[in-house]
Amino acid sequence: MKRILLSLVLTLMCSIALPAKDLKATADSLYAARQYQKASQLYEQLLDKGDNANVYYNLGNAYYRMHDIARAILNYERAANREPGDSDIRFNLTLARSKTIDKIESNEDFFIVYWFRSFLNTFNTDQWGRIAVFSFVLSLIGLLAYFFVRRLSIRKIGFGIAVAMFFLTIVSNIFAYLQRCQYLDNTHAIVMQTSKIRSTPAESGTVIFSLHEGTKVKIIDNTMRHWVQIRLADGKTGWMPQKDMEMI
């Protein structure tokens, strides 16, 4: 009885225009009450008000609870693009991917590439930017110590700090730029329903393989009406109907 009353109260609140903070609290309460469908609707409304990694993450959780793996992965991917270093997002994304039918192994990620991407995704664009600013300030302090302190040992330490922090400033700026490019990359999509991949952009084309819900694809050609050419992580390519996917 209490759960029914709680559901009625929360449903009434959903019908009223609420500030973002209250809307988030209501959505979280619905999620806690296992009203995942209603919670997902409120999370969608929140995203209409502004982009937020945490809301995408919660929306992904709601869809996962509803066994909609494709939409769960879609929203986890969107959350990961905005907060690439968040371990909870990465864990849930990996968990959701394990539920998909298509098991596609990448043939491009050598160890050094995998390590580099993992390190790059430790922080988002803003965090790399803050590291760059902080390291630049430290490099200036090191230079001041080198030029204005008389003691030789401190001057050596100051010079070493200046060089190291200046190098870190350059690296952090490069990583911030790469993270920004990764965030703005709109060439990836999630397959939302079982789709037959064809050799040509037409229903008469030969079916070369099929993809199922939740598989991530890279779009390499979207110039054809209603069709897009895609490439998988293992290098396979083909044409699929645009309606069968949703952009990350």
Side-chain angles (χ1 to χ4, degrees), residues 28-59:
D28 291 343
S29 297
L30 284 166
Y31 182 89
R34 300 183 180 181
Q35 301 291 318
Y36 303 123
Q37 181 65 47
K38 294 175 182 177
S40 68
Q41 292 171 356
L42 289 194
Y43 288 135
E44 295 280 8
Q45 289 181 36
L46 273 169
L47 291 171
D48 290 337
K49 296 175 181 290
D51 211 63
N52 186 285
N54 183 255
V55 177
Y56 277 123
Y57 172 69
N58 289 343
L59 182 58

XYZ file of all heavy atoms in Angstrom, residues 28-59:
265
model
N 15.324 10.250 -8.981
C 16.076 9.317 -8.142
C 15.147 8.549 -7.201
O 15.356 7.355 -6.942
C 17.129 10.073 -7.327
C 18.257 10.616 -8.197
O 18.407 10.146 -9.341
O 18.981 11.521 -7.728
N 14.119 9.240 -6.692
C 13.153 8.577 -5.809
C 12.356 7.520 -6.568
O 12.095 6.430 -6.051
C 12.199 9.611 -5.198
O 12.897 10.529 -4.386
N 11.974 7.846 -7.791
C 11.266 6.873 -8.625
C 12.146 5.664 -8.910
O 11.687 4.520 -8.884
C 10.828 7.530 -9.936
C 9.614 8.457 -9.859
C 9.499 9.298 -11.119
C 8.337 7.644 -9.652
N 13.412 5.925 -9.171
C 14.343 4.823 -9.435
C 14.470 3.933 -8.197
O 14.439 2.706 -8.295
C 15.708 5.381 -9.833
C 16.723 4.309 -10.176
C 16.839 3.826 -11.475
C 17.550 3.774 -9.191
C 17.754 2.835 -11.787
C 18.467 2.778 -9.490
C 18.572 2.313 -10.791
O 19.472 1.325 -11.088
N 14.608 4.572 -7.027
C 14.728 3.812 -5.780
C 13.468 2.994 -5.503
O 13.537 1.918 -4.896
C 15.008 4.760 -4.616
N 12.310 3.509 -5.978
C 11.040 2.803 -5.800
C 10.796 1.777 -6.908
O 9.707 1.215 -7.006
C 9.887 3.808 -5.764
N 11.805 1.576 -7.753
C 11.756 0.612 -8.858
C 10.747 1.000 -9.934
O 10.266 0.148 -10.681
C 11.466 -0.803 -8.340
C 12.516 -1.318 -7.363
C 12.239 -2.741 -6.939
N 13.258 -3.207 -5.993
C 13.281 -4.427 -5.458
N 12.337 -5.301 -5.784
N 14.232 -4.759 -4.613
N 10.451 2.290 -10.000
C 9.590 2.807 -11.071
C 10.507 3.278 -12.206
O 10.640 4.471 -12.485
C 8.733 3.959 -10.542
C 7.838 3.595 -9.380
C 6.712 2.655 -9.797
O 6.105 2.836 -10.846
N 6.445 1.658 -8.975
N 11.159 2.317 -12.852
C 12.234 2.643 -13.785
C 11.740 3.380 -15.030
O 12.423 4.269 -15.537
C 12.971 1.365 -14.184
C 13.533 0.612 -12.999
C 13.192 -0.720 -12.764
C 14.392 1.237 -12.095
C 13.696 -1.409 -11.676
C 14.900 0.556 -10.999
C 14.542 -0.772 -10.794
O 15.037 -1.445 -9.712
N 10.568 3.021 -15.512
C 10.032 3.680 -16.700
C 9.779 5.162 -16.432
O 10.167 6.033 -17.221
C 8.736 2.995 -17.141
C 8.099 3.594 -18.391
C 8.967 3.427 -19.627
O 9.483 2.344 -19.888
N 9.154 4.491 -20.387
N 9.136 5.450 -15.304
C 8.851 6.843 -14.957
C 10.138 7.607 -14.643
O 10.275 8.786 -14.995
C 7.891 6.896 -13.769
C 6.501 6.350 -14.090
C 5.623 6.298 -12.854
C 4.251 5.709 -13.189
N 3.392 5.568 -11.989
N 11.077 6.926 -13.993
C 12.359 7.568 -13.694
C 13.085 7.928 -14.981
O 13.641 9.029 -15.110
C 13.223 6.641 -12.847
N 13.061 7.023 -15.957
C 13.749 7.286 -17.229
C 13.139 8.485 -17.947
O 13.854 9.276 -18.570
C 13.698 6.046 -18.129
O 12.379 5.773 -18.568
N 11.829 8.641 -17.843
C 11.171 9.785 -18.482
C 11.646 11.104 -17.864
O 11.867 12.091 -18.576
C 9.652 9.646 -18.353
C 9.074 8.492 -19.168
C 7.611 8.229 -18.872
O 7.011 8.864 -17.993
N 7.017 7.288 -19.595
N 11.814 11.103 -16.542
C 12.290 12.322 -15.882
C 13.753 12.594 -16.197
O 14.155 13.749 -16.364
C 12.083 12.220 -14.372
C 10.650 12.299 -13.864
C 10.643 12.521 -12.356
C 9.867 13.409 -14.541
N 14.550 11.543 -16.272
C 15.955 11.736 -16.649
C 16.058 12.311 -18.059
O 16.910 13.161 -18.334
C 16.716 10.413 -16.555
C 16.967 9.936 -15.142
C 16.743 8.606 -14.784
C 17.436 10.808 -14.163
C 16.979 8.161 -13.493
C 17.661 10.373 -12.865
C 17.430 9.044 -12.535
O 17.663 8.613 -11.253
N 15.173 11.856 -18.951
C 15.148 12.406 -20.315
C 14.787 13.895 -20.281
O 15.367 14.703 -21.011
C 14.137 11.644 -21.176
C 14.469 10.175 -21.429
C 15.493 9.965 -22.532
O 16.072 10.963 -23.009
O 15.715 8.802 -22.910
N 13.838 14.254 -19.422
C 13.467 15.668 -19.282
C 14.643 16.490 -18.762
O 14.867 17.622 -19.199
C 12.276 15.807 -18.333
C 10.950 15.306 -18.888
C 9.808 15.499 -17.910
O 9.763 16.490 -17.174
N 8.890 14.547 -17.872
N 15.386 15.924 -17.827
C 16.561 16.617 -17.296
C 17.586 16.881 -18.384
O 18.202 17.949 -18.436
C 17.197 15.783 -16.184
C 16.651 15.971 -14.773
C 17.201 14.899 -13.852
C 16.995 17.352 -14.238
N 17.771 15.915 -19.268
C 18.740 16.074 -20.348
C 18.285 17.120 -21.355
O 19.112 17.734 -22.032
C 18.980 14.728 -21.039
C 19.727 13.704 -20.174
C 19.728 12.337 -20.831
C 21.159 14.169 -19.916
N 16.976 17.336 -21.455
C 16.477 18.418 -22.304
C 16.872 19.783 -21.740
O 16.998 20.759 -22.480
C 14.948 18.343 -22.428
C 14.497 17.149 -23.267
O 15.309 16.662 -24.079
O 13.346 16.707 -23.099
N 17.073 19.826 -20.416
C 17.452 21.084 -19.764
C 18.954 21.340 -19.829
O 19.406 22.473 -19.684
C 17.011 21.066 -18.295
C 15.500 21.005 -18.081
C 15.167 20.878 -16.602
C 13.663 20.799 -16.364
N 12.991 22.082 -16.647
N 19.744 20.275 -20.027
C 21.195 20.444 -20.076
C 21.920 19.116 -20.055
O 21.408 18.112 -19.548
N 23.117 19.127 -20.608
C 23.957 17.930 -20.718
C 24.569 17.602 -19.365
O 25.091 18.487 -18.692
C 25.059 18.217 -21.742
C 25.480 16.970 -22.465
O 24.651 16.376 -23.158
O 26.645 16.598 -22.333
N 24.532 16.321 -18.962
C 25.087 15.962 -17.659
C 25.458 14.485 -17.645
O 24.611 13.625 -17.900
C 24.073 16.272 -16.559
C 24.640 16.064 -15.173
O 24.808 14.945 -14.722
N 24.938 17.165 -14.491
N 26.720 14.186 -17.341
C 27.192 12.803 -17.353
C 26.467 11.952 -16.322
O 26.127 10.793 -16.580
C 28.701 12.769 -17.098
N 26.212 12.521 -15.138
C 25.557 11.766 -14.076
C 24.139 11.373 -14.460
O 23.682 10.264 -14.145
C 25.551 12.586 -12.786
C 24.943 11.828 -11.619
O 23.818 12.098 -11.213
N 25.679 10.876 -11.081
N 23.436 12.273 -15.162
C 22.069 11.966 -15.588
C 22.086 10.879 -16.664
O 21.258 9.965 -16.655
C 21.354 13.232 -16.097
C 19.956 12.888 -16.616
C 21.247 14.265 -14.981
N 23.031 10.972 -17.600
C 23.165 9.910 -18.602
C 23.440 8.567 -17.921
O 22.895 7.526 -18.322
C 24.300 10.230 -19.577
C 23.912 11.161 -20.700
C 24.586 12.362 -20.902
C 22.883 10.836 -21.581
C 24.242 13.218 -21.934
C 22.530 11.685 -22.621
C 23.214 12.873 -22.796
O 22.867 13.722 -23.822
N 24.276 8.594 -16.904
C 24.605 7.374 -16.167
C 23.364 6.799 -15.489
O 23.088 5.594 -15.584
C 25.687 7.697 -15.137
C 26.006 6.580 -14.177
C 26.642 5.418 -14.611
C 25.684 6.686 -12.820
C 26.947 4.393 -13.726
C 25.986 5.671 -11.933
C 26.616 4.527 -12.390
O 26.912 3.517 -11.511
N 22.601 7.654 -14.810
C 21.387 7.193 -14.141
C 20.351 6.691 -15.148
O 19.639 5.713 -14.886
C 20.792 8.318 -13.298
C 21.628 8.633 -12.072
O 22.471 7.837 -11.668
N 21.421 9.802 -11.493
N 20.271 7.371 -16.290
C 19.345 6.936 -17.335
C 19.757 5.565 -17.862
O 18.914 4.694 -18.104
C 19.316 7.967 -18.465
C 18.368 7.690 -19.634
C 16.928 7.544 -19.151
C 18.462 8.810 -20.669
